[in-house]
Amino acid sequence: MFGLMMHRPLLVSSLIEHADRHHGETEVVSREADGSIHRSSWAETHRRARQLANALQELGVKPGDRVGTLGWNHHRHLEAYYAISGMGAVCHTINPRLFPEQIAGIVAHAEDRILLADPQFVPLLESLADRIACLRQVIVMGPLPGNAESAFRLMDYEALLKGASERFDWPQLDERSAAALCYTSGTTGKPKGVLYSHRSTLLHAWAVALPDSLSFSACDAALPVVPLFHANAWGFPYAAALAGSKLVLPNAQLDGASLYGLLESERVTLTAGVPTVWNQLMQYLQAEGRKLHYLKRLGVGGAACPKPIVSYFEDVQQVTVLPGWGMTETSPVAALTQPKARQARLRGDARRKWLGRSGRAPFGVDLEVVDEADNPVPRDGTTFGHLRVRGHWVCSGYYREEADPLVGGWFPTGDVAVMDRDGFMQITDRAKDMIKSGGEWISSIELEQVAASHPAILEAAVIGMPHPHWGERPLLLAVMRPGGETSAEALRRYLEQRVAKWWLPDRIEFVESLPHTATGKLNKAALRLERGL
Ligand code: ADP
């Protein structure tokens, strides 16, 4: 017997409808490319999304079609999010930091026939035109480039909207329909397309908004530093609409001074991004002696956050740091380091140690750490194994790929982790980055964390070097903080006091900078390649 409750599909359009009806005047603030501030609201965002949906329909976009976007975080990109998914098409966000060949490969694989781009990315698209024959129409989300010849039909976003009706009835789609497409950044292989459904997107937004997650409320002003092209900005555009939070979009200006200015002037209470951005902001705040007056919660994920950054924001700025874990394949939020009653009592070093965890599972996803035979390892905080995940917003396959990535109904993450008795998981490494020395494993992340806790070190990377006797031994590459002073010998002594002797790197090298991937992670593949490893 079925229950007698209404059945309404879980649709992305219902988020913007709700935000318009019940939080219509709540602001959506966005920094324009020229630095000026653009003020809009949820009602205005909804109105313009309806206009854009009409314009896209006029241009021939049909349900299921992929519509590409190549842009920073700003109001037009947000409108595109809601217009494209709302009308039943698939919002395909593309990371402009990928190699041009990868961008061409992704556009061709997704068969984007139409794409919305920031003006500065039009030349990039022109240079790829031969390789992306599918793409013919480009809507420019800003001033059109001069009268140069173009391989595409270039259209002005604002002109399109001006001529479009404000009436659009969002279709009542099947909630399993595709809403968005995001390719993995290819850290561990060629980019693969993760195809989110309306249902998965909505349930993920709900989970992200919960008090024990990033916690969104109608009293919050939320600023996603994480780009709209990086796994749907970790759900910010959806969770903010769901909760009726004010949304603040920083565009491409992510340097310390610009970010600080926006966090203060818009009284931002909640933000999230990768560790490298917080490192930059920390350096700016330290150098200028500035205080964050309104920020309450700072989410950090995508990579393990160096401890000095966590301590700085918690202890000096009195901001609660929320480390989290996820992947493009998990929408992405699948774990957050929010305390249970026991952890809420922790202070000082004990709290900081606990903040080194990557998080616990919210309702809706399940996490498990297993051994080589897929048996769960003890939850003792020290036995490591392979992390696997399943749930309502975990991918079950890749777009237009035959191979089934699941094993026994679980998604194997490729990460190695430990889990403690309270269910807090900590990533110790990507499986392929672990260093196997004399039959024992060394965690490169752990070594990097210890090295980066030295006051003179800004960033550190550890990779395995082949060794005739031990199999592999660690090589530590370190970037010195501006004005910092230390030597390989002194750093070695520092490490000696903090890690097991056999973990000590065989070599320590100082480098000017370290390569990062398009999503801000240490690019260990590039480091290995540079050294012919
Ligand atoms: P990619 O496309 O490079 O895989 P993702 O953003 O999907 O990009 O990256 C997911 C990976 O990032 C995870 O599998 C994990 O290795 C790493 N990662 C994410 N969060 C953390 C974290 N808190 N600590 C350590 N590693 C993390």
Side-chain angles (χ1 to χ4, degrees):
M1 180 163 64
F2 289 120
L4 286 173
M5 306 308 281
M6 290 185 196
H7 178 77
R8 311 203 65 208
L10 303 174
L11 299 179
V12 167
S13 55
S14 65
L15 292 170
I16 191 72
E17 277 177 331
H18 169 81
D20 178 359
R21 282 168 73 86
H22 302 290
H23 304 275
E25 288 180 11
T26 300
E27 279 186 301
V28 173
V29 177
S30 127
R31 183 167 255 158
E32 297 274 34
D34 65 6
S36 62
I37 296 294
H38 178 274
R39 293 193 178 276
S40 168
S41 63
W42 283 115
E44 175 83 351
T45 303
H46 190 202
R47 184 177 65 75
R48 285 168 55 92
R50 294 196 304 270
Q51 286 180 296
L52 180 59
N54 274 316
L56 290 172
Q57 207 167 49
E58 284 284 298
L59 292 169
V61 174
K62 305 224 162 24
D65 284 355
R66 279 75 57 210
V67 177
T69 72
L70 201 50
W72 295 107
N73 291 8
H74 50 69
H75 69 101
R76 295 189 182 101
H77 201 173
L78 177 73
E79 291 153 13
Y81 251 59
Y82 280 108
I84 299 166
S85 301
M87 69 191 290
V90 180
C91 181
H92 171 207
T93 53
I94 303 163
N95 184 341
R97 296 187 185 124
L98 290 174
F99 293 118
E101 310 81 69
Q102 287 181 320
I103 295 181
I106 286 173
V107 171
H109 188 265
E111 294 177 330
D112 297 327
R113 279 184 293 134
I114 185 162
L115 188 146
L116 291 96
D118 282 357
Q120 66 266 40
F121 300 130
V122 175
L124 169 70
L125 288 172
E126 302 280 3
S127 73
L128 300 174
D130 291 350
R131 277 174 279 169
I132 43 178
C134 54
L135 184 69
R136 280 297 150 252
Q137 311 191 86
V138 175
I139 301 174
V140 184
M141 296 188 281
L144 279 186
N147 47 8
E149 286 263 309
S150 174
F152 309 104
R153 176 177 169 210
L154 295 182
M155 289 164 283
D156 179 322
Y157 184 96
E158 291 302 329
L160 274 183
L161 254 59
K162 216 170 260 159
S165 159
E166 291 177 12
R167 253 214 85 178
F168 193 95
D169 295 325
W170 302 118
Q172 288 302 294
L173 310 160
D174 184 318
E175 64 183 19
R176 293 166 300 176
S177 312
L181 174 65
C182 182
Y183 283 73
T184 60
S185 58
T187 312
T188 52
K190 84 175 169 58
K192 293 192 282 283
V194 180
L195 192 58
Y196 308 107
S197 67
H198 282 262
R199 177 187 158 85
S200 72
T201 305
L202 210 100
L203 292 175
H204 175 259
W206 233 318
V208 162
L210 287 172
D212 265 5
S213 277
L214 287 168
S215 177
F216 280 74
S217 88
C219 301
D220 277 310
L223 185 154
V225 173
V226 49
L228 290 169
F229 54 73
H230 188 191
N232 299 317
W234 304 353
F236 266 64
Y238 307 120
L242 179 148
S245 313
K246 169 177 169 178
L247 190 62
V248 184
L249 301 167
N251 215 310
Q253 292 100 312
L254 301 180
D255 59 284
S258 306
L259 215 46
Y260 176 71
L262 210 53
L263 289 169
E264 287 292 290
S265 63
E266 297 305 325
R267 303 191 167 202
V268 171
T269 54
L270 167 66
T271 184
V274 294
T276 37
V277 212
W278 304 133
N279 204 350
Q280 277 171 33
L281 180 64
M282 176 178 82
Q283 287 181 61
Y284 170 81
L285 296 172
Q286 283 173 331
E288 302 291 320
R290 304 282 171 138
K291 171 96 190 99
L292 289 162
H293 295 95
Y294 307 100
L295 191 65
K296 292 189 188 135
R297 295 181 302 289
L298 180 148
V300 58
C305 189
K307 292 198 172 78
I309 304 179
V310 177
S311 303
Y312 173 77
F313 282 102
E314 285 245 324
D315 302 340
V316 180
Q317 296 288 351
Q318 265 85 53
V319 173
T320 301
V321 177
L322 298 171
W325 172 85
M327 313 175 72
T328 307
E329 288 90 335
T330 63
S331 290
V333 180
L336 268 158
T337 310
Q338 277 277 20
K340 295 184 178 177
R342 229 145 58 81
Q343 289 77 31
R345 292 195 290 269
L346 298 175
R347 295 286 176 273
D349 282 349
R351 175 169 167 86
R352 273 190 291 278
K353 183 155 186 270
W354 168 72
L355 280 172
R357 302 273 193 266
S358 317
R360 60 182 167 91
F363 171 76
V365 292
D366 196 5
L367 299 171
E368 201 167 67
V369 180
V370 295
D371 62 17
E372 298 298 333
D374 284 340
N375 298 312
V377 303
R379 290 182 167 206
D380 56 10
T382 54
T383 310
F384 59 80
H386 299 282
L387 177 67
R388 58 185 197 174
V389 56
R390 64 180 176 194
H392 300 302
W393 49 92
V394 177
C395 82
S396 63
Y398 292 102
Y399 182 55
R400 292 178 56 202
E401 292 268 342
E402 282 298 311
D404 177 2
L406 304 190
V407 178
W410 291 83
F411 179 81
T413 64
D415 283 335
V416 176
V418 297
M419 184 149 341
D420 69 17
R421 67 185 171 115
D422 289 317
F424 286 96
M425 175 277 289
Q426 182 168 352
I427 303 287
T428 53
D429 236 326
R430 274 197 156 166
K432 57 187 301 199
D433 292 337
M434 287 204 82
I435 298 161
K436 194 163 197 184
S437 171
E440 298 284 346
W441 293 100
I442 298 174
S443 153
S444 67
I445 292 188
E446 179 97 36
L447 261 182
E448 286 157 7
Q449 283 279 10
V450 178
S453 69
H454 186 287
I457 303 300
L458 184 62
E459 199 180 16
V462 173
I463 53 173
M465 285 186 311
H467 189 281
H469 180 65
W470 299 110
E472 270 188 322
R473 292 294 303 153
L475 160 68
L476 169 66
L477 302 160
V479 181
M480 203 92 83
R481 201 174 276 287
E485 260 183 56
T486 186
S487 62
E489 230 357 87
L491 185 54
R492 163 173 291 278
R493 279 199 301 277
Y494 180 84
L495 294 174
E496 249 166 27
Q497 289 154 22
R498 290 165 175 84
V499 300
K501 200 148 182 270
W502 60 276
W503 277 42
L504 285 175
D506 276 18
R507 251 188 24 227
I508 298 179
E509 285 177 23
F510 288 98
V511 290
E512 284 292 306
S513 64
L514 289 165
H516 291 93
T517 67
T519 47
K521 296 182 216 305
L522 280 172
N523 191 341
K524 296 197 181 175
L527 285 174
R528 289 191 197 100
L529 208 64
E530 275 170 21
R531 284 167 177 73
L533 300 175

